[in-house]
């Protein structure tokens, strides 16, 4: 027996712990295998919420008891994005392979901020694969981050440093900086937030008009830049979106890249979910021009199906990227040998020092599924969206509200905005299907974002049937109230 000085947190009975652990693994695999039989989402009963409003435990508890609470009170009341009927917002489903990789990463407990270790090398392998996917040069840098919100923020900081030089890191921005950034009217809110956090202020954002397909109007973009220059302002960055969050539109990347080049502006692509469309030949064709970006932000946790969270930022000029973030400190001293070797480190490319091993679940996902299968899964979500579109067009009580470029379908039941809002809540509470809502040209839309690799034709048909069913019932109630 090992003589211990005080306590450790390891089990006293490893054999018992092992048995309980295997039970936990089986339970979550059972859950995943039989997910389809469950409701997508359920209203949270007050007593379940109460389970998580208890005082912090002072004395030791039991793993099996904590697991029982998880099974009873956590698992059934998640948002349900793993479920095939989930179509709300743009959420990935995760995979059993990703889940196992997360377990291994947690066991290893690597801190991937830097230093001489293979987990950093795994992340570099992912960077090399990502460079290849987007036809970026070997000098491009990249980093796993929580999500595209953070990747957009990092890109703004790098673009600002490119324009003003590293001195801006010391001096900060003057209040009359006059810097201007352009994005389409339906750019994600994280762009404005990035400008806020980077000290430019949200007023630096110009929202450019869109064409009838909800793509950025390049003529309007060029005119806005011209006008701002004439007014003495300093346009410096264009953010193109590859897959808008509301309707899945892809801005005309090549045309925007032409303008960015002609006017010497930084081109950033917010490809949060759409950029991984590169894995599918037909969608890659729609993304032509993405290789001309100075930076790209995207998520492996959306169309890539890697479990949350796994965002990524790719910057064409790796040295510039590093110069925008590298921060010397005595305790982060680099060496040629030993554990302090292997510079530059991931922490030199972003604000995080302690970092989880997000690269591992992404590496497992690519190793086990391969790019072809992942690409087919992505194409499939678009084919399902086309099926949904056709069903809407063939159903007189339904109306399509926006073109379907990729995997997002916006439609409504013929009736008031209120009926449509009520239909969506009724659908969510029924557990049959879970779309969300958005506003299209001032009208409330039922929005089905099909991102989940588990979603099948029957799930699309169940959505349509349930919309018609609830719409019919709510419509009758409406008439009675009039
Ligand atoms: C999801 C999304 C974001 C935000 O990404 P997170 O991973 O949630 O931070 C940004 N832009 C677009 C277009 C998105 O779809």
């Amino acid at each position: 027996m090992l003589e211990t000085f005080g306590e450790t947190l390891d089990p006293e009975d490893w054999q018992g712990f092992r048995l309980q652990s295997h039970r936990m693994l089986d339970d979550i695999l059972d859950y995943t295998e039989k997910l389809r039989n469950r409701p997508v989402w359920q209203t949270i009963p007050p007593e379940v919420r109460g389970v998580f409003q208890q005082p912090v435990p002072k004395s030791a508890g039991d793993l099996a008891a904590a697991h029982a609470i998880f099974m009873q009170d956590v698992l059934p009341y998640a948002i349900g994005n793993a479920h095939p009927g989930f179509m709300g917002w743009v959420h990935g489903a995760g995979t059993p392979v990703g889940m196992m990789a997360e377990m291994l990463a947690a066991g290893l407990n690597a801190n991937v901020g830097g230093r001489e270790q293979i987990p950093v090398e795994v992340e570099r392998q992912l960077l090399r694969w990502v460079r290849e996917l987007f036809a970026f040069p070997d000098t491009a840098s990249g980093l796993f981050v929580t999500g595209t919100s953070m990747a957009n923020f990092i890109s703004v900081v790098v673009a600002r440093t490119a324009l003003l030089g590293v001195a801006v890191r010391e001096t900060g921005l003057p209040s009359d900086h006059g810097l201007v950034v352009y994005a389409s009217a339906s750019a994600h809110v994280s762009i404005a937030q990035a400008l806020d956090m980077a000290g430019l202020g949200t007023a630096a954002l110009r929202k450019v008009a869109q064409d009838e397909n909800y793509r950025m109007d390049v003529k309007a973009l060029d005119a806005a830049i011209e006008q701002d220059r004439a007014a003495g302002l300093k346009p410096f960055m264009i953010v193109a979106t590859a897959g808008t969050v509301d309707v899945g539109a892809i801005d005309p990347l090549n045309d925007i890249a032409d303008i960015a080049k002609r006017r010497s502006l930084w081109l950033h692509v917010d490809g949060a979910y759409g950029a991984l469309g590169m894995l599918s030949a037909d969608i890659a064709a729609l993304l032509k021009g993405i290789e001309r970006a100075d930076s790209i932000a995207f998520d492996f946790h959306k169309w890539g199906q890697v479990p949350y969270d796994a965002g990524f930022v790719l910057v064409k000029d790796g040295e510039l990227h590093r110069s925008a973030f590298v921060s010397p400190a005595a305790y982060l001293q680099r060496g040629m040998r030993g554990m302090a070797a292997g510079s530059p480190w991931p922490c030199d490319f972003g604000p995080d020092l302690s970092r989880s091993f997000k690269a591992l679940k992404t590496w497992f996902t690519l190793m086990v599924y391969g790019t072809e299968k992942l690409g087919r899964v992505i194409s499939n979500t678009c084919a399902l969206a086309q099926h949904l579109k056709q069903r809407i067009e063939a159903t007189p009580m339904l109306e399509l509200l926006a073109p379907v470029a990729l995997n997002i379908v916006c439609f409504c039941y013929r009736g008031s905005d209120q009926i449509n809002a009520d239909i969506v809540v009724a659908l969510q509470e029924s557990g049959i299907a879970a779309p969300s809502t958005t506003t299209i040209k001032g009208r409330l839309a039922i929005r089905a974002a099909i991102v989940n690799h588990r979603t099948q034709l029957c799930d699309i048909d169940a959505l349509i049937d349930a919309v018609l069913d609830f719409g019919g019932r709510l419509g009758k109630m409406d008439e009675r109230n009039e």
Side-chain angles (χ1 to χ4, degrees), residues 145-153 190 270-272 297-299 301-302 311:
V145 289
T146 40
T148 292
S149 303
M150 179 56 93
N152 283 336
F153 169 63
S190 58
D270 176 350
F298 69 97
D299 287 321
H301 58 224
K302 289 177 173 173

Side-chain angles (χ1 to χ4, degrees), residues 106-145:
L108 188 61
N109 194 29
N111 179 347
V112 196
R115 306 189 177 83
E116 179 73 342
Q117 53 171 333
I118 283 296
V120 171
E121 204 55 45
V122 174
E123 183 157 346
R124 290 187 185 125
Q125 168 72 92
L126 261 299
L127 168 59
R128 286 188 280 271
W129 287 345
V130 166
R131 276 185 199 135
E132 198 181 314
L133 185 66
F134 293 107
F136 266 45
D138 290 350
T139 44
S141 52
L143 191 70
F144 274 96
V145 289

Side-chain angles (χ1 to χ4, degrees), residues 56-337:
V56 63
K58 289 210 175 71
S59 49
D62 181 40
L63 176 60
H67 178 227
I69 296 174
F70 172 82
M71 292 305 292
Q72 193 180 316
D73 299 325
V74 178
L75 196 113
Y77 303 105
I79 203 69
N81 50 301
H83 192 286
F86 185 90
M87 301 165 198
W89 305 277
V90 177
H91 283 27
T95 65
V97 167
M99 181 193 84
M100 295 310 298
E102 271 292 69
M103 187 190 75
L104 300 181
L108 188 61
N109 194 29
N111 179 347
V112 196
R115 306 189 177 83
E116 179 73 342
Q117 53 171 333
I118 283 296
V120 171
E121 204 55 45
V122 174
E123 183 157 346
R124 290 187 185 125
Q125 168 72 92
L126 261 299
L127 168 59
R128 286 188 280 271
W129 287 345
V130 166
R131 276 185 199 135
E132 198 181 314
L133 185 66
F134 293 107
F136 266 45
D138 290 350
T139 44
S141 52
L143 191 70
F144 274 96
V145 289
T146 40
T148 292
S149 303
M150 179 56 93
N152 283 336
F153 169 63
I154 289 174
S155 302
V156 167
V157 170
V158 178
R160 173 211 64 171
T161 310
L163 180 76
L164 302 172
V166 287
V168 70
R169 295 184 62 192
E170 194 179 335
T171 60
L173 284 171
S175 56
D176 61 346
H177 59 75
L179 299 177
V180 191
V181 177
Y182 304 84
S184 98
S186 41
H188 193 265
V189 66
S190 58
I191 302 297
Q193 208 172 15
L195 299 182
D196 164 15
M197 292 191 295
L200 278 81
T202 55
L205 183 63
R206 293 281 179 278
K207 294 207 159 175
V208 181
Q210 298 167 307
D211 66 16
E212 68 283 4
N213 289 317
Y214 298 86
R215 308 165 79 216
M216 192 194 285
D217 177 341
V218 285
K219 283 216 181 72
L221 168 68
D222 210 37
I225 297 170
E226 190 60 44
Q227 197 180 341
D228 285 330
R229 284 232 163 114
L233 297 170
K234 297 188 200 98
F236 83 109
M237 182 180 195
I238 307 172
V239 178
T241 304
T244 58
V245 74
D246 53 355
V247 305
I250 301 172
D251 286 338
L253 302 178
N254 252 329
D255 296 345
I256 295 172
D258 286 343
I259 293 179
K261 186 164 180 225
R262 180 156 47 81
R263 295 187 173 274
S264 303
L265 306 186
W266 185 277
L267 175 59
H268 173 67
V269 173
D270 176 350
Y273 86 84
L276 278 184
M278 292 299 284
L279 294 172
S280 146
D282 43 331
I283 300 168
L286 306 174
L287 294 167
K288 254 194 132 18
I290 199 167
E291 71 287 349
R292 297 173 65 190
D294 294 295
S295 53
I296 303 175
F298 69 97
D299 287 321
F300 281 106
H301 58 224
K302 289 177 173 173
W303 251 352
Q305 314 292 338
V306 172
Y308 283 89
D309 40 43
F312 202 88
V313 59
L314 181 69
V315 178
K316 195 165 268 166
D317 183 341
E319 192 38 47
L320 174 71
H321 182 184
R322 199 180 72 93
S323 74
F325 282 98
V326 68
S327 299
Y331 42 84
L332 296 176
Q333 198 68 48
R334 311 304 154 93
M336 294 307 290
R337 291 173 51 203

Side-chain angles (χ1 to χ4, degrees), residues 23-45 48-49 51-52 65-83 86 99 454:
R23 249 175 254 136
M24 290 163 74
L25 182 59
D26 275 338
D27 280 354
I28 198 70
L29 291 175
D30 280 346
Y31 163 81
T32 311
E33 185 182 351
K34 294 169 192 145
L35 198 47
R36 180 172 279 287
N37 305 330
R38 289 174 165 266
V40 183
W41 181 85
Q42 296 178 76
T43 306
I44 303 170
V48 169
R49 211 180 290 278
V51 171
F52 301 97
H67 178 227
I69 296 174
F70 172 82
M71 292 305 292
Q72 193 180 316
D73 299 325
V74 178
L75 196 113
Y77 303 105
I79 203 69
N81 50 301
H83 192 286
F86 185 90
M99 181 193 84
R454 299 189 174 104

